[in-house]
Amino acid sequence: PHSCEDLRAVGAALEQAALFVRINPPGPGLREEIDEVLAAGAAVVMAPMIESADRAADFVGTVAGRARTIALVESKAGIEDLASIAATPALDEIHIGLNDLSLSLGLTNRWAVLAGDLMRDAGHCVRAAGLAFGFGGIGRAHDTQLPIPSDLIYAEYARTGATRALIARSYRVGGADLAAEITRTRVRLREWQDTPADARETAHAELVRLVAQRDSW
């Protein structure tokens, strides 16, 4: 478990980035937790398990403009109410969590949610509401050792219009230079954004093929 002391330590080390924190799901104690992380310097707050517009409104209303707000949607109920969540006044971003969403949908593995058009449609819905859209997380650029090569996941960011991602722990494996790895990631994401739509669909078809071969997480 992390603490606000950890948050302050991270904030003290930042030179360019905004201090980001993911809080606990909204519930009793929400206001106290948000007040605490804001006092520790958080500039971006993500709330998980946002399953309805009411829950999103409670979260955003509690932050009350004191930080950037991100709703983490990661359940079947949240996806079904996505348009209403995206219409929440003062909400800044929506991020789709793939692991819990895959479980909620009863899918066989965490990548299966990318195999259809669910993420593409979600991206269109969120961006149409004027919000930034992101989903899941990414590995290092050109990493072919992952169950699904990172390049195919990068292609999905371009295909869905996603501009936000969490990054995997693998970015620091073997003492890798984090800044250099992030630069490589940004370059590769831009390359996919500039790739014709038919090439993205070809990559998507390959992702679908590989996902179908996996029956585990």
Side-chain angles (χ1 to χ4, degrees):
H2 294 161
S3 69
C4 276
E5 286 69 29
D6 298 318
L7 192 61
R8 291 186 181 93
V10 171
L14 298 180
E15 297 179 354
Q16 299 180 47
L19 184 60
F20 167 99
V21 61
R22 189 181 104 168
I23 60 172
N24 291 301
L30 174 65
R31 179 171 297 278
E32 290 77 9
E33 183 174 15
I34 286 177
D35 287 346
E36 187 176 16
V37 299
L38 293 178
V44 185
V45 181
M46 172 186 277
M49 286 298 170
I50 299 297
E51 297 183 323
S52 67
D54 287 344
R55 182 169 281 193
D58 286 345
F59 163 54
V60 172
T62 304
V63 174
R66 294 175 291 169
R68 189 170 180 85
T69 53
I70 307 175
L72 178 56
V73 174
E74 45 190 341
S75 69
K76 183 175 184 290
I79 286 292
E80 290 174 346
D81 205 25
L82 188 61
S84 295
I85 294 170
T88 303
L91 181 64
D92 295 301
E93 302 181 23
I94 289 181
H95 194 94
I96 308 295
L98 299 187
N99 289 359
D100 283 322
L101 178 58
S102 297
L103 289 171
S104 180
L105 294 173
L107 300 177
T108 56
N109 63 65
R110 71 188 76 180
W111 302 281
V113 72
L114 296 176
D117 290 328
L118 183 63
M119 283 301 101
R120 186 187 65 181
D121 295 344
H124 177 77
C125 175
V126 171
R127 291 183 290 107
L131 305 183
F133 172 68
F135 68 82
I138 50 177
R140 293 187 294 178
H142 308 293
D143 189 344
T144 60
Q145 303 305 308
L146 299 170
I148 303 296
S150 65
D151 214 40
L152 296 181
I153 305 299
Y154 283 35
E156 291 300 303
Y157 279 83
R159 183 174 181 267
T160 62
T163 57
R164 302 290 190 274
L166 304 178
I167 63 171
R169 294 180 180 88
S170 63
Y171 276 77
R172 295 305 301 272
V173 168
D177 184 328
L178 180 60
E181 292 293 344
I182 293 296
T183 296
R184 292 177 70 230
T185 289
R186 287 177 169 156
V187 167
R188 190 57 183 145
L189 286 170
R190 282 195 297 270
E191 288 173 349
W192 271 112
Q193 289 168 356
D194 294 337
T195 298
D198 58 346
R200 299 176 195 169
E201 292 303 322
T202 297
H204 180 72
E206 175 63 8
L207 180 143
V208 171
R209 185 185 71 82
L210 292 178
V211 167
Q213 295 176 356
R214 302 196 62 84
D215 58 4
S216 67
W217 287 72

